[in-house]
């Protein structure tokens, strides 16, 4: 029997309808694809990972170099030695060009470099391939069209434990403590300027260096008494390539950069989170017992990684609210020194903001979504610490500090939904002696399709990894993948997430069914 084409089309469409009706969450079938253990020779510690679609490789930066891995299998391809140029901090790839951010290892207050590599030959790219940028280039990213490369130059003062200390010294004996320098000239010599270098990729030159002095401020709780300038930590660029949003972690602020003008237009204070409010419990005690409670403490958000999510004509800034002290910890004290009693006496607080009876901790112990004006649309509250406890991987020794320390963040569209992946830097050692190195790492996943109504989905837990730093989502050979690199375990791990074409394809099939049925009705009415 010959089947009528219309019947065949309807049958296929109805089959698709059945699939849609019974389809599970697009992240239910997540599987670990592979883990690669990087060789530690030369003090290589994996930090940031980027994907190259042309060579189907992952490039992983790790202080002394960049390891190139097969993105499908994790097979090692090559280590690119960066030490002749400095120390590698980050890598970003666009259209066959890998950009590597390199700090000056002799004096990190001096200008750093960006190196450009060809991802096929894995050699320095033809043409100009070394570009001088600002002090301590810590992170970099291409615009969506690849026309520009932005570099976050953190500009952190030189500091060696027990040796060089170029931070400001304490001024007077006031509480909160205030830090500074004897004169502006001393400050300029000791504390390099934080900036963002904007590289024009057509000419491979720095078209502008955006700094933050004198930029208009708004919001609340911007830290300005730390003895440091604003220090760009991480940045994300909108799809149009017109704006970049820059985390100023130690300052508890976000810089908004006008890329076309080559200058910052505002610095927005990110405010404080009240750990006394319902849903914001923390564990303030590192006493071997994991217990969340409401406490009379506020936390400054102080984000590390940031990412953008654009939907329905709006741009949202996603932040991993890790928190951070000065590198020499001179702005950190135990709350007991300010008169706090148990359970808060051992909590580490910011002594530049805290005083007796008013305590400010570092970090929000959460991930949050803000609009481009800095207003909070969603915050995960206590979810990250709570879920880590539920899985038995919460590291109680970090309770008095920053909890699980959300570090990096990535956004992906899968199965018609949008998801945020948040790397947790501090999780517990696995108590099972049979597990590799007793390490366990965690990536929290949130559905952010509707930002104001975001929800926790699940936690990916991986034995053998510890301290995820960089996360990268990519599509290859019909599947979506998530890669992340972990500094402490010196590993890179890849998860296979969901197939491409995505389940959203079924919506197109249903639309086709509607069209077919309409055509059938028209023909039947002839």
């Amino acid at each position: 029997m010959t089947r009528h084409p219309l019947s065949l089309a309807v049958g296929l469409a109805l089959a698709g309808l059945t699939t849609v009706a019974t389809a599970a969450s697009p992240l239910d079938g997540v599987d670990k694809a592979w883990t690669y253990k990087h060789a530690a020779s030369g003090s290589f510690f994996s930090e940031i990972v980027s994907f190259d679609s042309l060579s189907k490789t992952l490039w992983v930066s790790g202080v002394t170099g960049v390891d190139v891995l097969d993105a499908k299998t994790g097979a090692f391809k090559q280590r690119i030695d960066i030490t002749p140029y400095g120390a590698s901090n980050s890598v970003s790839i666009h259209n066959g060009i890998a950009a590597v951010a390199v700090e000056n290892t002799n004096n990190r207050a001096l200008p750093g470099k960006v190196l450009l590599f060809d991802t096929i030959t894995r050699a320095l790219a033809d043409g100009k391939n070394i570009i001088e940028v600002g002090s301590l280039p810590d992170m970099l990213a291409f615009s969506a069209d690849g026309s520009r490369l932005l570099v976050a130059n953190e500009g952190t003062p030189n500091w060696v434990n027990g040796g060089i200390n170029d931070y400001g010294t304490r001024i007077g004996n006031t509480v909160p403590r205030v830090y500074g320098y004897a004169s502006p000239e001393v400050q300029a010599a000791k504390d390099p300027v934080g900036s963002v270098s904007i590289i024009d990729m057509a000419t491979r030159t720095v078209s502008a260096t955006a700094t933050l002095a004198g930029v208009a401020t708004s919001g609340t709780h911007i830290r300005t008494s730390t003895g440091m300038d604003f220090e760009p930590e991480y940045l994300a660029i909108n799809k149009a390539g017109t704006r970049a949003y820059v985390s100023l972690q130690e300052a508890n602020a976000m810089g908004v950069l006008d890329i076309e003008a080559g200058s910052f237009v505002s610095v927005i204070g990110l405010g404080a989170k009240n750990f006394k409010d319902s849903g914001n419990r923390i564990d303030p005690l590192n006493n071997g017992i994991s217990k969340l409670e409401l406490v009379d403490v506020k936390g400054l958000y102080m984000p590390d990684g940031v990412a953008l999510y654009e939907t329905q004509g709006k741009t949202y800034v996603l932040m991993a609210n890790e928190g951070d002290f000065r590198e020499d910890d001179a702005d950190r004290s135990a709350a007991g020194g300010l008169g706090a009693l148990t359970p808060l006496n051992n909590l580490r607080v910011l002594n530049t903001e805290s005083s007796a009876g008013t305590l400010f901790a570092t970090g929000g112990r959460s991930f949050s979504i803000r609009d481009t004006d800095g207003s909070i649309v969603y915050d995960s509250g206590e979810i990250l610490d709570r879920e880590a406890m539920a899985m038995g991987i919460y590291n109680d020794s970090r309770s008095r500090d920053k909890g699980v320390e959300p570090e990096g963040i990535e956004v992906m569209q899968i199965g018609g939904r949008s998801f945020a992946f948040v790397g947790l830097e501090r999780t517990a050692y696995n108590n099972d002696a049979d597990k590799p190195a007793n390490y366990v790492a965690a990536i929290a996943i949130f559905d952010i399709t509707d930002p104001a109504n975001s929800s926790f989905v699940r936690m990916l837990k991986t034995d053998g990894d510890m301290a995820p730093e960089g996360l990268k989502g990519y599509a290859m050979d019909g599947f979506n993948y998530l890669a992340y690199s972990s500094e402490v375990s010196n590993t890179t791990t890849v998860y296979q997430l969901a197939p491409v074409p995505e389940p959203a394809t079924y919506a197109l099939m249903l639309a086709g069914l509607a069209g077919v049925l309409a055509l059938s009705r028209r023909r039947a009415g002839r």
Side-chain angles (χ1 to χ4, degrees), residues 199-217:
I199 297 174
D200 182 336
M201 289 302 294
T203 60
R204 296 187 183 178
T205 60
V206 175
S207 60
T209 299
T211 57
L212 292 138
V215 175
T217 62

Side-chain angles (χ1 to χ4, degrees), residues 279-301:
N280 288 347
R281 296 177 300 169
I282 66 170
D283 183 350
L285 288 170
N286 56 323
N287 60 353
I289 301 172
S290 299
K291 179 185 177 183
L292 296 173
E293 55 185 307
L294 297 176
V295 293
D296 191 11
V297 178
K298 293 183 175 65
L300 300 189
Y301 291 93

Side-chain angles (χ1 to χ4, degrees), residues 16 54 58 78-79 116 121 136 189 200 211 229 232-233 276 320 326 388-389 425 433 514:
L54 297 183
L58 292 175
Q78 180 180 345
R79 174 167 294 179
L116 301 178
T121 65
L136 189 57
D200 182 336
T211 57
D229 289 333
E233 183 83 23
K276 198 175 181 178
R326 285 177 22 153
M389 288 180 184
E425 187 175 18

